[in-house]
Amino acid sequence: MLRPRAAARRRRRPLAVGPAGAARTLAACWLALLFRVRGQATYPSEFRLAWCVGAQCFDHTLSAAHFQLRITRYYKEGARPPLREAFFVATLPPVFQKELLYGCPGLVVLAHLLLAEARLYTHPPEEAEELIRRAQAMMAMEEIRGPHLQGIRDAWPLAPAVSRYEALAERLAAHREPISIDFVLPRCREDLAWLADRSQLELLPPQTRVFVYEKCGEGGEDAGNLTALFGGHVKVIHSTLEDASDPDTGRAVRRDECTAYLAHVVRHYNAHMGDVVFFLHGTPSDHTPMGLLNLVLRGLALGTLRDLDFLHLGAPRMVATANPCQQDIFRIATGRSLQGPLFTYCCSQFAVSKRRIRQRPRSDYARMLRLVDGSVPDACDRIGPSFERYPGQRLSHCFFFEFMWHVVFGESEDLPLRADDPKLPLAFRLKDNEESVPSIWRSYLGTFVSGHSSFAEQGFEHWIRQIQTAEPLEARNQVNFGDLVHPSSSGAVQ
């Protein structure tokens, strides 16, 4: 049961501004009429909303001013859209939607228009039309007419939002046919039942193939089982890839996904290839939100993503690194020098169009495959944590490909955050989860942020002594994205 706990807000009704004194001239009467007709509406800048559903309570502050600035810049220059905030507004309990609508109508109306554009890519047209109907209904309300409606038209990007939506709807409607896809999955004993589990993958386009590359010398006998799980509608192809020993050490070398990805491209470059190829791990949810993967599959099944050439599906970002070993591997792999640090997402999972794959000649991929197949000794030094059971267990050549797959498939060295990439469909531009710091560091109320506390007063000698003598923390552990999913949501789409 919904229990509104508090809704701290400040709302001003439109003010009808009239003449200061009795009007005796025609000009004064005209000005008075002008002011009375148009009026003036002012709105609060921030809303704090708090409510409970059963024992679970929510508390959030929403800045209408920031939302307005961001959505204006999105429609004007393709800047980061306030997509997360729009979802928040449009899915609030109705009692709070009404409060926001009366308090700042432009915020609620534009949130619905933004979501309508996003839904055009991932849902049937009726979904977006529903959001448009809601926006129209809000603007038609008696309480919103007059200066409020004029304010939406003049102070908010209403016209660009409507124009963009209509143009996109018309363009996508002309080509709504399913797009064929291939899954490329390196596997080492992982359970692939998730592929046929509709609680994880909600749907697959009609033309779907699954290429499983067995990297541990077993598992091919599961092909029939996996095909049966799909009901015979999806073709499953198994192949075996063996990671050779390092030429120098003679020990087995872990090549992760790179040999499977490159072997697949080399083998199928001139053969039939899906319109879009998904390069994924055997358990993709370790590093990819399944909700994002499902959105992409929805769009491909609807045929709305024909212009999508590359989409990284990782959740966390990689910290860029720079060293001669990486630079040399990049040069050998791509045939050119590295132009700057490699900024990208973790962890080698992405969707690439067939046309983008074929923009690079097959010989390039063959050269990259030779680089990672064990032919070239690994001479890179290990500096910092490498998550290896023994030095050299993880091939550096393959590890560095994790930083450069986006360049291999046609992107520049600096891959933007999805939220900041204007080339991507709006549906995939949700702001990433970033840092979360305690409240004393979030605003100018904090002692150091406000300047009340001083680094100089803290003192260099005191600080360096603490740094040098501090007891080490417990051993560092590698944590996957999938490990952070709340237990109560296991089995559900994230």
Side-chain angles (χ1 to χ4, degrees), residues 156-219:
W156 293 78
L158 178 63
V162 172
S163 176
R164 184 182 177 101
Y165 170 83
E166 291 177 344
L168 180 63
E170 182 178 359
R171 179 169 65 85
L172 295 182
H175 300 285
R176 279 188 175 268
E177 296 178 359
I179 298 170
S180 64
I181 70 167
D182 291 340
F183 284 111
V184 178
L185 305 175
R187 183 197 185 210
C188 186
R189 293 182 287 273
E190 294 94 346
D191 184 0
L192 299 182
W194 59 268
L195 283 162
D197 183 351
R198 290 298 166 260
S199 70
Q200 297 191 62
L201 283 190
E202 295 177 350
L203 57 84
L204 291 172
Q207 300 180 58
T208 297
R209 298 185 300 176
V210 178
F211 292 84
V212 181
Y213 288 89
E214 302 290 351
K215 295 175 63 66
C216 295
E218 56 186 73

Side-chain angles (χ1 to χ4, degrees), residues 421-437:
D421 191 346
K423 300 191 303 296
L424 293 180
L426 175 60
F428 309 134
R429 297 186 64 184
L430 190 73
K431 179 183 176 182
D432 294 319
N433 290 323
E434 297 175 357
E435 68 279 351
S436 177
V437 297

